[in-house]
Structures are given as C-alpha cells and as structure tokens.
Amino acid sequence: MAKPTITRLPKPPNRQNSAGTFAGEVDVFLGAMPQFGDQTNQVADFVDQRASAAAASAQLAQTNGEDQTAAAGQKAAAAASSAQTAAAQAAAAKTQADNSKGFRDSAQTAAAAAQAAAGLPALTGKGGLPLVPKRDGSGVEYSSSLRKYDLDVNAATAALDLSTGQVFKVSATVARTLSFTNPPAAGRAMTVVVHITGAAKVTWPASILWNNSTVPVQGAQWTTIILVWIGDGWVGSVGARS
C-alpha cells in the first residue's frame, strides 16, 4: 500500500463576513470534509498495517532466535529493537492521525455552530428568496414578502435607503424633498413603493420618468407611488390616491 497523504483543508468560514460570503465559505469547507475524513482513515489504515507488519516481523525473529545460535539470537534482539522503534513510530503516527480526526471533528462542530449562530436556515425550496435579518435580531430567514420601513418625519429632506427596504412611508404634513441612496446596479431591476400621507408638496428627483411625463398629483389624504428601476433609471406612476 502506497503511503497516503492528507490534503490541506480550505480556508475556514469567518462569521465576520457577510451572510452570502459566509454561507459560500461554509459550503466549500464542509464540502472538503468527506475527502478529509477518507484520507485520514487511509492514513490510520496505513499506520495499522505498518504496525502489524512490524509486530509480525518481531514475532518471527523471536521465534527463529530461540532455535538458532547465539549469533542468530543477537540478530533477533536487533530485530526486536527495530520492531520496538517501528511500533513507537507507528504509535506516534497513529496519534497524529487521531489528532487529525479530532481536528476534523472540531472543524465540523465549529462549522455547524457557526452556521447555527448565524441563524442560516436550510436552502431547500428557498431558491430566489432574499435572506433577511429576523425582526427579533436572533438570526436570518428567507422572506417571500417586502419589508416596510417608516421614515423619520421630522427631517425636511428624507433619503430613502434602498439597501434597507423597498416599501417606504413618508409623512407629508410638511413639504418633503425625497432622494434615493444605494440604488440597484446597472442592468438590475427593482420595484419601490412610496406611500405618502398628507397633501404637502413632495419634490422628487428630476431624473424620474413619470407616466405621461407628468409629476404625480397628490391626493388630499394619501397617495401611493410606484417606482421601477429599469437598469439605468426610474420610471414612476401613481398607484392609488384618496
């Protein structure tokens, strides 16, 4: 049996990374575990075979030495000494193999604990759904609906941060000037809903392409605006008003 080797494990996952990066690193790290386990077992088998062969050789030398001359006895003693050395080396190698298995088990435990600590749910049946933090802050979950965010109504100008949500409430009890931060990258799409309560003037970014080239007329009580990012700009229209 050829001397086996153990392939170095990939970089372990880091909980300081983003959820997407962390999940990818966990997949790669755990994907390497089966091969690592197989190789560790091969090393252990190799060590056991070497130890067994050395022990058998020592026993044979001792048996033959009993029936031979003093010179043969000396050779048997030398063989026994070599066997002891080989056994010690085999024991040390087996200890290293056991340690390697312990490292693997610890790595698997740490990876599982890290995944649990990050609150990463199962992927099955969740294709295409966004991964968002839970409302109680205990982890993350897949969401099939848009999350709503209320803006601070005390500011004269409200910046809608598109990295935090897609549905916004704006109080127009006083005039508001709205702007958008963190829009999608070019070539991507996104729908944004802005629900305005009140009839004070709302000033929109000049770059929005409005339906019929007309800035929406607000309702006396409330107005809902639908905006679509089409890859290189916004298209907007009134969804409803009262």
Side-chain angles (χ1 to χ4, degrees):
M1 180 180 179
K3 180 180 179 181
T5 59
I6 297 178
T7 303
R8 182 186 296 274
L9 287 172
K11 177 183 177 182
N14 188 337
R15 284 183 290 175
Q16 298 302 317
N17 293 334
S18 66
T21 300
F22 180 83
E25 290 178 344
V26 168
D27 289 341
V28 172
F29 193 86
L30 293 182
M33 288 296 103
Q35 175 182 276
F36 184 86
D38 291 341
Q39 292 177 342
T40 301
N41 290 333
Q42 291 173 3
V43 169
D45 291 342
F46 176 79
V47 170
D48 288 339
Q49 290 179 6
R50 291 292 299 272
S52 297
S57 177
Q59 183 63 42
L60 178 61
Q62 183 178 355
T63 300
N64 292 338
E66 294 175 353
D67 300 328
Q68 293 176 351
T69 61
Q74 292 175 356
K75 292 181 180 179
S81 178
S82 297
Q84 290 176 352
T85 301
Q89 293 176 343
K94 189 174 187 306
T95 298
Q96 291 179 344
D98 291 341
N99 289 339
S100 297
K101 183 177 182 300
F103 293 151
R104 180 202 64 186
D105 294 341
S106 296
Q108 290 176 330
T109 300
Q115 183 175 6
L120 295 178
L123 299 176
T124 304
K126 303 300 183 181
L129 296 181
L131 192 63
V132 299
K134 293 182 179 179
R135 293 183 182 273
D136 60 6
S138 62
V140 293
E141 63 184 355
Y142 290 100
S143 174
S144 60
S145 61
L146 298 178
R147 187 177 179 185
K148 179 179 67 179
Y149 292 83
D150 293 330
L151 296 180
D152 184 352
V153 299
N154 294 321
T157 300
L160 310 186
D161 186 355
L162 302 180
S163 68
T164 63
Q166 294 174 261
V167 177
F168 300 90
K169 282 187 172 181
V170 177
S171 173
T173 55
V174 295
R176 300 291 180 189
T177 297
L178 301 183
S179 62
F180 298 96
T181 60
N182 299 310
R188 304 300 297 271
M190 182 180 191
T191 300
V192 173
V193 177
V194 181
H195 183 74
I196 303 168
T197 56
K201 181 179 180 181
V202 173
T203 301
W204 300 89
S207 60
I208 298 177
L209 301 178
W210 293 108
N211 185 38
N212 292 326
S213 300
T214 303
V215 176
V217 176
Q218 295 169 224
Q221 298 181 14
W222 56 264
T223 307
T224 299
I225 303 296
I226 309 299
L227 297 168
V228 179
W229 176 264
I230 58 174
D232 56 3
W234 294 100
V235 173
S237 64
V238 175
R241 61 182 163 224
S242 174

